[in-house]
Every structure is written in structure tokens, then in C-alpha cells.
Amino acid sequence: TCGGALEMKKIADIADEHGVAVAIHMAESPVACMAAVHTAAAMHNVLALEFHSVDVPWWKDIVVGLPDNAVRESRSRVTAALQNSKIYLREPQTTTVNLAPADVKKTGSFYDLPILVAMLSVSGVLDCDLSDCAFIGEVSLNGDVCFVQGALSMAIKAAECGIKRLFLPYENAAEAAVVKDIEVYGVKNIASLA
């Protein structure tokens, strides 16, 4: 157990230098767990990842990790998009979004789609294996998934990190499809995901 994704990666790198495997143990929100899973994927010496969901009422609708206004407002966009698309979470969710590493400023609205997919996944609406997937895209209030800048560079990085399936705005799909070793899916609206 450690203080965050960056610290976890540093500890794992030191352990790797000495030939020691790491076992990650977390007690945090399911959304924060997804961030830790992505960090674990970047480590060479992970033995196990143990996760305990924590339901703390005062964590409701918190976005942490140096978000800018566009990232902080994603909660409102995602909530409205779910309601306007008539997609209902199976039970009330306490939502904490941990954007790791905490010391790096996060900017832009392309975090909307991964936040929304994480909420659908932890609530049981999406019941499929997302371990090899990445999601990029702004979500409009009516549920449309909107064009984002930088899709090609994000697709390249996703492929380098071992991601096999990339879901991003339909308007960005042709641009990202030039990247080898990754399947690209253009998403027009969130209803097509649920």
C-alpha cells in the first residue's frame, strides 16, 4: 500500500532493480482502481493486484489529481449524458475519480468517456472485459461523443502500452486507425457502448 500511482511505480522500479516482485494492495474507489491497474501494466515485476472497494459517502463526486476546469466539469457532462441517453446505473454510486499521477496537471475534456465507461463498468451496466481497452473522448450533454485533439498521439501511446482496443470519437477513428497493433472503434454516442 502506498500514496499513489507515481509512488507505486517508483517503489516497483526500485524493487525491480533488486529482483523483487511487487504485490499491489489498494483500498480505494473502483475508478481509482482502474488508474492503478494501468500503472501496474507499466511495471515489469507485478505479482498480484489486490483491490478492496471503499464506499465512503463524503467521496461522492470528487475528482482528484490536479484537474483543470474542463476535467472537473466532466462530472456534470457525464451525469447529464447518462440521464439524457436514458442509461441508468444499477444502484446509486459514490464516484471518486483519481487522475494519477497527482502531481501532473490534467487538462481537456477527453477524460469524459473513460470516466463514463468506468462508472458503467463498476455499476454493472457494462459487463465485459475492459482490461485491454482505452477510451478517449468528450461527451456532450445529449450523449454524443465529440471530436478531440491529439487522438493520433494518444493512439500511438496506447499501442505502446499494450492496449489492444481503442474507443474514441467517430470523427477521430480514421486518424487513429493508421496505428498498427491496435483495433480502433469510432463511437458516435454513449448509447452504443451500454
Side-chain angles (χ1 to χ4, degrees):
T1 302
C2 63
L6 184 59
E7 182 181 343
M8 179 171 42
K9 178 72 167 97
K10 287 179 180 178
I11 292 169
D13 288 346
I14 292 168
D16 194 33
E17 289 173 8
H18 297 284
V20 177
V22 294
I24 302 167
H25 176 265
M26 302 176 327
E28 52 190 327
S29 76
V31 175
C33 175
M34 291 186 72
V37 168
H38 286 282
T39 303
M43 299 175 185
H44 302 286
N45 55 339
V46 174
L47 177 65
L49 175 62
E50 182 179 349
F51 168 69
H52 301 278
S53 179
V54 175
D55 186 18
V56 180
W58 52 265
W59 278 1
K60 183 170 175 48
D61 298 325
I62 294 175
V63 177
V64 297
L66 288 179
D68 73 350
N69 286 338
V71 177
R72 195 175 303 282
E73 292 166 358
S74 71
R75 175 183 62 88
S76 299
R77 286 190 300 275
V78 166
T79 302
L82 287 168
Q83 290 172 348
N84 293 330
S85 300
K86 303 206 181 333
I87 300 172
Y88 304 102
L89 303 180
R90 294 200 175 141
E91 57 187 61
Q93 292 292 309
T94 297
T95 305
T96 302
V97 179
N98 180 16
L99 303 175
D103 62 339
V104 176
K105 186 148 179 77
K106 284 57 165 206
T107 60
S109 56
F110 60 86
Y111 291 97
D112 291 359
L113 190 59
I115 290 170
L116 182 137
V117 169
M119 290 174 66
L120 293 175
S121 180
V122 298
S123 72
V125 174
L126 282 180
D127 186 20
C128 56
D129 181 14
L130 301 175
S131 61
D132 66 348
C133 298
F135 299 86
I136 301 165
E138 178 181 342
V139 176
S140 71
L141 299 180
N142 68 359
D144 289 341
V145 179
C146 306
F147 176 86
V148 294
Q149 297 290 333
L152 179 59
S153 60
M154 288 186 269
I156 291 168
K157 188 63 177 176
E160 288 174 0
C161 290
I163 298 296
K164 299 296 179 198
R165 297 180 288 163
L166 176 63
F167 296 80
L168 73 173
Y170 181 80
E171 291 82 5
N172 292 107
E175 173 187 6
V178 301
V179 179
K180 294 180 181 177
D181 300 324
I182 193 166
E183 296 175 32
V184 174
Y185 299 91
V187 181
K188 290 186 177 182
N189 56 59
I190 65 170
S192 63
L193 292 173

